[in-house]
Amino acid sequence: LNYWRRRGSVRRPLCSGEIIMGSAESSEASGVTELHYYGAQGRGQQIRYALAEGGIEWTDVSAPFPPPDSVKQKWLTLGGNLTTNVPMLIMGGKAYTQSSAVLRHVARKGRLMPADEELQYQVDNIIAAVDDYRTEAYKAVFPALGGAPSKAANAQLKDVVIPTHFKNFERLLGDNDYFVSNKVSVADMTAFDIFTNFSFNLFPSIKKDYPKLAAFVDRIASRPKLAKYLASEKYTSLMPFPCLE
């Protein structure tokens, strides 16, 4: 059964092989910052984390997957790109597209981007490293979402990709609480995203192998604004990615 088409109450996935999801309803609110994306995590989730930590109120305008032609036409009208328009942020009456660019825009608005150019490079470096990992993770996630999990892709992600990338993230974090200048930034929001939505949730058994990164996740999740968001229906109503073990 296609993972995207399951219906029911939304809650976090169990690691017994059970997959439970629901569909997020679209919402519009004039004059309110909007994030147009699917009612799921994916590439839009790092932006949601940055919005929450930056104290920026927003409305999720969520679409089903695959999106109907009417929704795709609306995205094209709003964003203008002939390729991909989501995740798309509507802020101040303007449309912002391309996930990394949107993430950085939100970071600047929410004071999650350092002013120093050297530190900005370090932030960009973490965002790029996270994107590299996320791209590899999707090779296992997409087959599972389509109802045909790939044992080969799962094994490659768990046994090869994660150890390589996560050892590098441990190196980049070092003994600090946060990735850049030991102060919270958008780099931490995007890193938090892959640890919570693209790795430890897919393979819970690996979390013990990376205590430094697991402690980082707990640290970010306990920040007041993030904690409030994570406890809200705005977050819990999103479709979680499936456990792969």
Side-chain angles (χ1 to χ4, degrees), residues 10 12 39-41 45 48 229 234-240:
V10 179
R12 313 307 292 171
Q41 289 152 359
Q45 192 56 37
R48 295 184 181 112
Y229 169 64
K234 180 180 283 189
Y235 176 73
T236 60
S237 64
L238 296 172
M239 186 195 77

Side-chain angles (χ1 to χ4, degrees), residues 28-82:
E28 293 282 357
S30 60
V32 177
T33 295
E34 297 175 342
L35 182 67
H36 291 251
Y37 195 57
Y38 306 107
Q41 289 152 359
R43 293 188 183 276
Q45 192 56 37
Q46 59 182 338
I47 298 169
R48 295 184 181 112
Y49 288 149
L51 287 164
E53 180 62 25
I56 300 172
E57 294 292 332
W58 84 98
T59 296
D60 282 315
V61 182
S62 301
F65 185 91
D69 290 341
S70 60
V71 172
K72 289 190 287 186
Q73 182 57 51
K74 179 179 180 180
W75 289 343
L76 177 60
T77 300
L78 289 172
N81 289 330
L82 299 180

Side-chain angles (χ1 to χ4, degrees), residues 219-235:
R219 187 177 307 118
I220 296 297
S222 67
R223 292 184 62 83
K225 293 175 184 176
L226 254 295
K228 181 179 179 180
Y229 169 64
L230 293 172
S232 71
E233 186 177 357
K234 180 180 283 189
Y235 176 73

Side-chain angles (χ1 to χ4, degrees), residues 141-162:
V141 170
F142 275 140
L145 292 178
S150 168
K151 290 184 178 180
N154 292 351
Q156 175 72 10
L157 178 60
K158 182 180 180 180
D159 300 332
V160 179
V161 175
I162 286 177

Side-chain angles (χ1 to χ4, degrees), residues 189-220:
M189 299 301 105
T190 191
F192 180 70
D193 176 44
I194 58 164
F195 299 143
T196 56
N197 297 319
F198 289 87
S199 56
F200 294 153
N201 60 315
L202 306 179
F203 307 105
S205 66
I206 70 169
K207 193 171 184 179
K208 66 181 186 304
D209 299 328
Y210 304 97
K212 186 178 294 186
L213 300 181
F216 168 82
V217 168
D218 292 342
R219 187 177 307 118
I220 296 297

